């Protein structure tokens, strides 16, 4: 494809058959591979380093010599992939019928000077170096394949953009500055963002959160750092170190580069991160293999710790000739992203057919052959040849994998697809309706020349299935729709090497399924003894602990602290502990919430059973006492103790024992309303009876004195009045309580951590203590009156027994208050039941046991004469 020169450029006057372009190339390229045809595909390879000294610009630079070259032999396959694709297209009558496709391939030599030189050669007529002009239409340039490294691609694009010639690159896209926003790149490798996502998924899959990285010291390396660091950090991955690998420009810089490499090596070895992500150019592994041999510290030269290297797709396992015997254990077990590739039929046989004796225009093969096989071809100008002689019968398949591979690599596959994409785009141009009138080859070439600007449109819209069955197409950004393979580099010996596919990154899959990995197929570095490597700054905090960041350290470095009481962490590496819900509580290890047990005083548990049995037993005893008194109601002792008061007291005590049963069982609305008020009123009746008895005893003694006016107060009316009035006061208090703030059932979720306590909320605590306080007030009055009447001269003085009963009663309820406040849940209810039973039993025992003793066991004392006897 040819575009006329811009108006401001000089165009040599060139007429057909009249004037010839005669400007010769001052420095012809050292290597080239040409195949002439109707249309030409250009190729910029990256095969050879020129090890030159730094230029002083005081004299014209001399041409490079062959002994200054270092061949990256593995890249020779890229050249062969282009040649094979052209051969395959020319043999296919369905693509570009009646038109042959050729190629011109030059080496970039990994530097700007030779890259610009090679690109200008592609734009000039063969064997003529005329910038910005082509004489004739032979060998018309349709597109350029290359370069491999992004900086080379940028240099090529700077020249091609002038003529709008498409460039299909098979490496990462260059960093685009404000000067290069419109360069026409067609990227034959997947987009970088997919590779970043794949590396991140790989790190997260293996829980590698503490990693190092080493990048090439150029714009692309800086782009990786600026993109990867924030992206990875968002997902919890920290960078232990970021090292930049210096680039070698001139051989005179080698010493400085090695010194800087030694510093990098020592810093990597001093760090405990087991995983290092490498981002570099295609040849970066050549420099990486230097690291085990470099060190600034004495005695550390070969003490290399195993690391898991994660390589980007651009980095290939390459080797220069001087590294033939170097150990390869540094890269054993590495995990690399690779451009997806498939087996291409016939490519293996095409490689087998290569022979340096018949190069057929291949100017690269002899230099490749000598360095790959470590031999030399005889030179007729030199008499003696040092080293082994190349016979040409050497087999490519016998070369170690670090020098050459027979299977098509990802980059070679990209070159192969790029050539086919150009061919299919050309086919679309010539097949379009507007070009149908151009029937001859020369006419078609003129059509291509006239419609060159539209070629980009056809190329961008190309879509086809290659011979391997893979679909090849570009998106709107000019990027190929393809994914990455994840491969494991295995190098059991220095010259042995092979790849094992262990996963893939598929852009067409769902986000959660894009990354797949077969961990069992990975062979790790021998340092790790085939155990999954660990690369963390701090060990994971197990459940029950949370992370506490270390001051001044990255967020991946932390201490593990136990969760506070009442909180849990279910998973590892929790930033904070969480509270359990109100219905659950933490287990002992504080890593799980356990449902709380429903707790209340039930008839089914031993405590409830024993209290209920005690209450029923005392009820039966009280009933038996009442029956005994009723049976002997005409006996002197029953009559002397006011039968009505006695029966009322016994019935109230019986009800007190029964009221204790209201506190046992599931708290309900009715039981919560009844139990405290019923207990308060019934107990007030009992104490009122005791008080009435005490007052009756005192008044009876006083009434016996001559002329006493107390006789009119002695009788049942006064006793009934005391009972009724005292009981009504308590009933009034309980009524007010029920009216303003009654008791209600509630679930207490907080008092006991392991339990949900079902209980009755007393509503108004003040009213509750008013009820207790009023009973205490009655008891104190009864105790006081009985205490002063305890020595009255009566053969059966009931006052002394009432004194003991009130002493028991007051002791029980005074101890009840602190005990009640210090207990929770069912035990608090049990304390109240115990107090009810104990105080009731105290009244029953102290007051009625002496009487029952006389009635049942000493009926001889149950006579009027005995009751009338006075103590001396």
């Amino acid at each position: 494809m040819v575009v006329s020169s811009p108006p401001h450029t000089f165009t040599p006057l060139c007429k057909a058959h009249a004037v010839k372009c005669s400007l010769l190339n001052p420095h012809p390229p050292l290597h080239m591979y040409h195949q002439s045809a109707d249309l030409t595909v250009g190729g910029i390879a990256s095969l050879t380093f020129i090890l030159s000294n730094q230029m002083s610009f005081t004299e014209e630079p001399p041409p490079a010599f062959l002994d200054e070259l270092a061949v990256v032999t593995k890249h020779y396959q890229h050249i062969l992939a282009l040649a094979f694709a052209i051969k395959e297209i020319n043999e296919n009558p369905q693509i570009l019928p009646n038109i042959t496709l050729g190629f011109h391939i030059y080496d970039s030599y990994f530097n700007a000077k030779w890259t610009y030189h090679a690109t200008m050669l592609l734009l000039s007529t063969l064997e003529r170096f005329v910038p910005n002009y082509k004489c004739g239409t032979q060998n018309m340039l349709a597109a350029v394949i290359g370069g491999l490294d992004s900086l080379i691609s940028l240099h090529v694009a700077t020249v091609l953009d002038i003529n709008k010639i498409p460039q299909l690159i098979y490496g990462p896209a260059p960093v685009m500055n404000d000067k290069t926003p419109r360069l026409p790149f067609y990227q034959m490798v997947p987009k970088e963002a997919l590779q970043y996502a794949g590396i991140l998924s790989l790190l997260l899959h293996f829980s590698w959160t503490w990693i190092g990285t080493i990048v090439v010291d150029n714009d692309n390396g800086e782009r990786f750092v600026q993109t990867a660091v924030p992206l990875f950090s968002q997902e919890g991955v920290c960078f232990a170190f970021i090292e930049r690998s210096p680039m070698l420009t001139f051989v005179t810089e080698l010493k400085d580069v090695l010194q800087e490499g030694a510093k990098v090596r020592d810093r990597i070895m001093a760090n405990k991160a087991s995983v290092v992500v490498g981002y570099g150019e295609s040849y970066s592994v050549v420099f990486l293999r230097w690291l085990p041999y470099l060190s600034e510290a004495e005695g550390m030269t070969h003490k290399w710790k195993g690391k898991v290297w994660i390589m980007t797709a651009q980095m290939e396992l390459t080797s220069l000739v001087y590294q033939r015997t170097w150990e390869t254990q540094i890269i054993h077990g590495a995990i690399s992203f690779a451009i997806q590739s498939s087996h291409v039929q016939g490519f293996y046989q095409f490689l087998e057919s290569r022979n340096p004796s018949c190069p057929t225009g291949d100017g690269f093969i002899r230099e490749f052959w000598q360095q790959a096989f470590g031999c030399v071809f005889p030179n007729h100008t030199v008499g003696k040849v040092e080293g082994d002689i190349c016979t040409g019968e050497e087999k490519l398949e016998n070369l170690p994998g670090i020098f050459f591979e027979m299977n098509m690599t990802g980059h070679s596959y990209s070159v192969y697809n790029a050539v086919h994409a150009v061919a299919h785009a050309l086919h679309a141009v010539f097949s379009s309706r507007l070009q149908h009138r151009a029937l001859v080859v020369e006419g078609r070439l003129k059509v291509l020349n006239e419609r060159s600007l539209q070629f980009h449109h056809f190329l961008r819209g190309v879509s086809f299935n290659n011979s391997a069955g893979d679909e090849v197409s570009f998106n709107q950004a000019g990027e190929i729709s393809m994914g990455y393979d994840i491969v494991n580099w295995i190098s059991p010996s220095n010259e042995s090497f092979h790849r094992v596919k262990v996963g893939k990154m598929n852009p067409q899959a769902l986000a959660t399924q894009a990354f797949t990995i077969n961990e069992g197929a990975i062979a790790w570095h021998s340092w790790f003894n085939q155990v999954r490597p660990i690369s963390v700054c701090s060990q994971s905090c197990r459940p029950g602990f949370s992370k506490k960041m270390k001051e001044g350290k990255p967020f991946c470095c932390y201490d593990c602290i136990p969760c506070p009481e009442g909180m849990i962490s279910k998973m590892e590496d929790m930033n904070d502990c969480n509270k359990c819900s109100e219905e659950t509580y933490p287990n002992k290890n504080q890593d799980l919430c356990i449902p709380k047990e429903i707790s209340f005083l039930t008839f089914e548990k031993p405590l409830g059973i024993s209290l209920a049995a005690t209450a029923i037993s005392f009820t039966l005893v009280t009933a038996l006492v009442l029956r005994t008194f009723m049976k002997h109601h005409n006996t002197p002792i029953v009559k002397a103790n006011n039968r009505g008061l006695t029966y009322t007291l016994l019935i109230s005590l019986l009800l007190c024992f029964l009221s204790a049963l209201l506190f046992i069982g599931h708290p309900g609305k009715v039981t919560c309303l009844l139990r405290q008020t019923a207990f308060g009123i019934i107990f007030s009746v009992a104490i009122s009876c005791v008080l009435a008895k005490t007052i009756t005893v005192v008044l009876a003694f006083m009434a016996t004195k001559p002329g006493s006016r107390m006789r009119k107060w002695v009788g049942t009316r006064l006793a009934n009045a005391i009972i009724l009035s005292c009981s009504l006061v308590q009933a009034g208090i309980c009524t007010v309580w029920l009216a303003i703030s009654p008791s209600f059932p509630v679930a207490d979720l907080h008092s006991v951590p392991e339990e949900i306590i079902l209980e009755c909320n007393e509503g108004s605590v003040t009213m509750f203590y008013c009820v207790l306080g009023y009973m205490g007030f009655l008891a104190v009055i009864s105790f006081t009156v009985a205490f002063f009447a305890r020595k009255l001269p009566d053969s059966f003085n009931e006052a002394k027994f009432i004194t003991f009963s009130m002493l028991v009663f007051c002791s029980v309820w005074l101890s009840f208050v602190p005990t009640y406040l210090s207990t929770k849940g069912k035990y608090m209810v049990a304390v109240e039941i115990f107090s009810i039973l104990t105080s009731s039993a105290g009244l029953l025992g102290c007051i009625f046991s002496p009487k029952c003793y006389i009635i049942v066991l000493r009926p001889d004392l149950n006579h009027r004469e005995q009751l009338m006897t006075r103590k001396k």
Side-chain angles (χ1 to χ4, degrees):
M1 182 171 67
V2 178
V3 176
S4 300
S5 303
H8 62 275
T9 58
F10 170 74
T11 304
L13 184 62
C14 185
K15 295 184 180 179
H17 308 293
V19 179
K20 292 185 178 180
C21 301
S22 59
L23 185 62
L24 297 176
N25 181 5
H27 283 167
L30 298 177
H31 306 95
M32 64 187 76
Y33 191 177
H34 286 184
Q35 179 176 307
S36 299
D38 299 324
L39 292 175
T40 301
V41 174
I44 302 295
S46 296
L47 182 67
T48 311
F49 284 98
I50 297 179
L51 305 178
S52 59
N53 293 319
Q54 192 167 2
M55 292 177 288
S56 62
F57 296 98
T58 59
E59 59 183 1
E60 181 182 357
F65 296 101
L66 293 179
D67 57 357
E68 296 175 341
L69 305 180
V71 178
V72 184
T73 55
K74 204 159 192 175
H75 292 179
Y76 180 57
Q77 193 192 86
H78 307 162
I79 298 172
L80 299 182
L82 193 153
F84 174 75
I86 295 291
K87 173 179 177 293
E88 197 175 61
I89 291 167
N90 289 333
E91 293 174 353
N92 187 348
Q94 303 300 321
I95 306 176
L96 298 178
N98 301 322
I99 293 179
T100 57
L101 203 59
F103 56 85
H104 293 172
I105 305 175
Y106 297 99
D107 200 343
S108 69
Y109 298 103
F110 294 97
N111 66 54
K113 168 194 168 184
W114 286 100
T115 301
Y116 284 122
H117 186 201
T119 309
M120 297 298 292
L121 287 173
L122 290 175
L123 295 173
S124 303
T125 305
L126 184 62
E127 298 180 356
R128 296 290 186 270
F129 187 68
V130 185
N132 277 348
Y133 197 81
K134 288 181 72 82
C135 292
T137 58
Q138 292 79 17
N139 300 310
M140 291 183 60
L141 185 65
V144 174
I145 312 298
L148 173 58
D149 295 319
S150 58
L151 195 58
I152 300 299
S153 301
L154 185 60
H155 297 329
V156 174
T158 304
V159 178
L160 294 183
D161 185 49
I162 299 173
N163 295 289
K164 303 298 182 291
I165 295 176
Q167 179 187 3
L168 293 86
I169 62 176
Y170 56 103
V175 176
M176 307 298 284
N177 304 316
D178 54 356
K179 295 181 181 180
T180 58
R182 55 191 177 90
L183 299 181
F185 291 119
Y186 294 87
Q187 196 167 339
M188 300 306 300
V189 298
K191 55 185 178 181
E192 286 281 273
L194 182 65
Q195 185 166 213
Y196 295 150
I199 295 173
L200 179 58
S201 298
L202 183 69
L203 296 174
L204 296 179
H205 174 82
F206 289 107
S207 300
W208 292 331
T209 58
W210 186 240
I211 67 169
T213 184
I214 181 169
V215 300
V216 64
D217 192 10
N218 61 15
D219 289 345
N220 275 305
E222 193 60 32
R223 175 178 63 179
F224 176 82
V225 172
Q226 297 298 326
T227 304
V229 170
L231 177 65
F232 291 6
S233 297
Q234 289 175 3
E235 300 298 329
V237 178
C238 295
F239 286 80
F241 57 84
I242 299 176
E243 298 290 346
R244 289 169 174 82
S245 173
M247 298 184 67
L248 180 64
T249 307
F250 301 102
V251 69
T252 49
E253 300 173 349
L254 181 59
K255 182 178 179 180
D256 295 335
V257 170
L258 293 180
Q259 287 178 346
E260 182 61 30
K263 296 177 182 178
V264 170
R265 186 258 194 207
D266 290 342
R267 286 194 291 266
I268 293 176
M269 287 297 97
N271 198 283
K272 69 176 184 177
S274 299
V275 175
V276 182
V277 177
Y279 184 93
E281 305 292 5
S282 59
Y283 53 82
S284 294
V285 175
V286 169
F287 297 102
L288 185 66
R289 294 184 63 197
W290 272 96
L291 292 184
Y293 300 94
L294 301 175
S295 179
E296 288 195 320
E298 271 187 48
M300 289 186 60
T301 305
H302 295 288
K303 295 179 181 178
W304 178 261
K305 295 179 184 177
K307 300 286 184 181
V308 178
W309 291 91
I310 299 178
M311 306 293 189
T312 54
Q314 184 65 4
M315 300 175 67
E316 290 190 282
L317 179 55
T318 55
S319 180
L320 297 181
V321 61
Y322 66 85
Q323 295 176 314
R324 184 181 299 272
T325 59
W326 287 18
E327 66 174 32
T328 56
Q329 278 299 299
I330 183 176
I331 56 89
H332 177 64
I335 299 175
S336 174
F337 284 77
I339 304 163
Q340 284 184 355
S341 60
S342 301
H343 175 71
V344 177
Q345 190 71 27
F347 184 66
Y348 190 95
Q349 291 75 16
F350 180 77
L351 296 182
E352 285 184 318
S353 67
R354 308 309 292 177
N355 192 323
S357 302
C358 303
T360 61
D362 186 352
F364 296 92
I365 189 169
R366 290 176 68 88
E367 191 66 36
F368 158 77
W369 207 271
Q370 289 183 130
Q371 297 216 19
F373 289 102
C375 61
V376 293
F377 286 102
N379 192 330
H380 297 294
T381 61
V382 180
K384 185 177 180 182
V385 176
E386 295 182 1
D388 297 332
I389 301 298
C390 296
T391 64
E393 300 300 323
E394 294 85 1
K395 300 297 182 182
L396 290 177
E397 58 264 31
N398 294 333
L399 286 173
I402 57 176
F403 284 102
F404 194 79
E405 292 185 60
M406 297 297 287
N407 294 323
M408 186 175 281
T409 64
H411 286 112
S412 296
Y413 192 64
S414 298
V415 173
Y416 173 82
N417 286 331
V419 177
H420 275 272
V422 172
H424 280 79
L426 290 172
H427 182 81
V429 171
F430 296 138
S431 301
S432 62
R433 182 168 53 187
L434 294 178
Q435 283 83 33
H436 279 174
R437 63 179 180 269
L439 300 178
V440 297
V441 171
E442 184 68 20
R444 293 188 179 188
L445 298 179
K446 289 181 179 178
V447 166
L448 179 61
N449 184 36
E450 293 170 359
R451 304 188 62 82
S452 59
L453 292 177
Q454 293 190 11
F455 183 55
H456 285 281
H457 168 73
F458 287 100
L459 184 58
R460 191 176 297 275
V462 74
S463 180
F464 63 95
N465 288 332
N466 63 17
S467 62
D470 293 337
E471 182 180 356
V472 179
S473 62
F474 297 103
N475 59 23
Q476 291 300 315
E479 301 166 332
I480 197 168
S481 301
M482 193 175 291
Y484 289 99
D485 288 332
I486 303 173
V487 298
N488 185 208
W489 292 0
I490 300 177
S491 180
S493 63
N494 286 348
E495 294 193 4
S496 175
F497 163 76
H498 62 279
R499 310 168 189 260
V500 176
K501 181 178 176 181
V502 295
K504 64 180 179 179
M505 195 69 188
N506 184 6
Q508 278 79 38
L510 297 175
T512 56
Q513 301 173 355
F515 173 81
T516 56
I517 191 76
N518 179 12
E519 184 177 348
I522 298 177
W524 304 110
H525 192 282
S526 57
W527 177 273
F528 303 108
N529 295 321
Q530 287 308 306
V531 177
R532 179 201 280 196
I534 298 173
S535 189
V536 294
C537 182
S538 300
Q539 292 297 324
S540 295
C541 294
R542 56 186 175 86
F545 290 77
S546 64
K547 297 191 294 186
K548 180 183 179 182
M549 300 306 162
K550 293 182 178 180
E551 188 175 353
K553 297 289 185 179
F555 64 87
C556 292
C557 303
Y558 47 82
D559 294 319
C560 297
I561 58 174
C563 287
E565 186 177 354
M567 303 183 76
I568 68 158
S569 61
K570 292 184 178 180
M571 297 180 293
E572 291 185 345
D573 293 333
M574 294 282 287
N575 291 321
D576 297 295
C577 298
N578 301 318
K579 284 186 176 181
C580 291
S581 65
E582 292 186 337
E583 292 79 18
T584 57
Y585 70 98
N587 64 349
K588 183 178 179 181
N589 295 327
Q590 292 184 280
D591 58 1
L592 186 65
C593 288
I594 302 174
K596 291 182 178 179
E597 182 182 355
I598 303 297
S599 175
F600 60 93
L601 192 59
T602 174
F603 289 104
E604 299 172 356
K605 295 294 179 67
L607 181 59
I609 293 173
S610 60
L611 291 174
T614 303
I616 293 173
S617 300
F618 280 119
T619 301
L620 295 176
V621 171
T622 305
L624 181 61
V625 172
L626 178 60
R627 181 177 178 278
T628 302
F629 270 68
M630 292 179 69
K631 183 178 179 181
H632 300 86
H633 69 283
N634 290 322
T635 60
I637 196 170
V638 175
K639 291 179 179 181
N641 285 278
N642 195 329
R643 285 179 294 188
L645 279 177
T646 301
Y647 296 155
T648 303
L649 178 57
L650 285 172
I651 292 172
S652 63
L653 288 176
L654 185 144
L655 294 176
C656 284
F657 289 125
L658 290 177
S659 68
L661 299 178
L662 292 174
F663 292 83
I664 305 175
H666 192 287
K669 187 174 182 181
V670 175
T671 54
C672 286
L673 288 172
L674 289 179
R675 66 184 190 178
Q676 295 291 1
T677 54
F679 153 70
I681 294 173
I682 294 170
F683 233 106
S684 296
V685 172
I687 299 174
S688 299
C689 292
V690 174
L691 179 60
K693 270 181 167 291
T694 307
I695 294 175
T696 301
V697 170
V698 174
L699 292 177
F701 173 76
M702 296 176 65
T704 59
K705 293 181 180 181
S708 175
R709 298 179 180 180
M710 294 297 175
R711 292 184 180 181
K712 61 181 180 179
W713 295 102
V714 178
T716 59
R717 286 184 300 174
L718 177 61
N720 293 337
I722 294 173
I723 295 172
L724 184 61
S725 60
C726 293
S727 300
L728 285 177
V729 173
Q730 185 70 292
I733 296 173
C734 291
T735 302
V736 173
W737 186 6
L738 294 177
I740 61 174
S741 183
S743 298
F744 57 91
V746 68
D748 183 0
L749 303 172
H750 308 291
S751 296
V752 180
E754 299 84 4
E755 297 177 353
I756 298 177
I757 301 172
L758 300 182
E759 61 182 3
C760 291
N761 187 299
E762 306 303 347
S764 173
V765 178
T766 302
M767 297 304 297
F768 172 67
Y769 285 108
C770 284
V771 170
L772 292 181
Y774 181 71
M775 289 190 300
F777 171 72
L778 293 180
V780 170
I781 294 177
S782 297
F783 173 77
T784 304
V785 175
F787 179 79
F788 288 111
R790 71 188 186 282
K791 294 184 178 180
L792 292 178
D794 193 342
S795 62
F796 190 80
N797 187 2
E798 200 173 24
K800 67 175 67 174
F801 301 113
I802 293 175
T803 302
F804 288 125
S805 66
M806 289 299 100
L807 183 61
V808 172
F809 181 90
C810 293
S811 300
V812 169
W813 287 102
L814 284 175
S815 62
F816 162 78
V817 174
T819 308
Y820 182 82
L821 294 176
S822 63
T823 53
K824 300 292 182 182
K826 60 185 178 181
Y827 299 104
M828 184 172 66
V829 179
V831 167
E832 187 169 0
I833 295 174
F834 178 79
S835 298
I836 292 172
L837 297 178
T838 305
S839 58
S840 300
L843 291 177
L844 180 66
C846 291
I847 295 175
F848 292 100
S849 58
K851 299 178 179 62
C852 290
Y853 172 77
I854 293 173
I855 294 172
V856 176
L857 300 179
R858 295 296 302 274
D860 55 305
L861 299 178
N862 193 4
H863 295 287
R864 182 177 178 84
E865 294 77 11
Q866 292 293 332
L867 296 179
M868 297 299 296
T869 303
R870 297 288 188 268
K871 289 187 178 180
K872 295 182 180 180

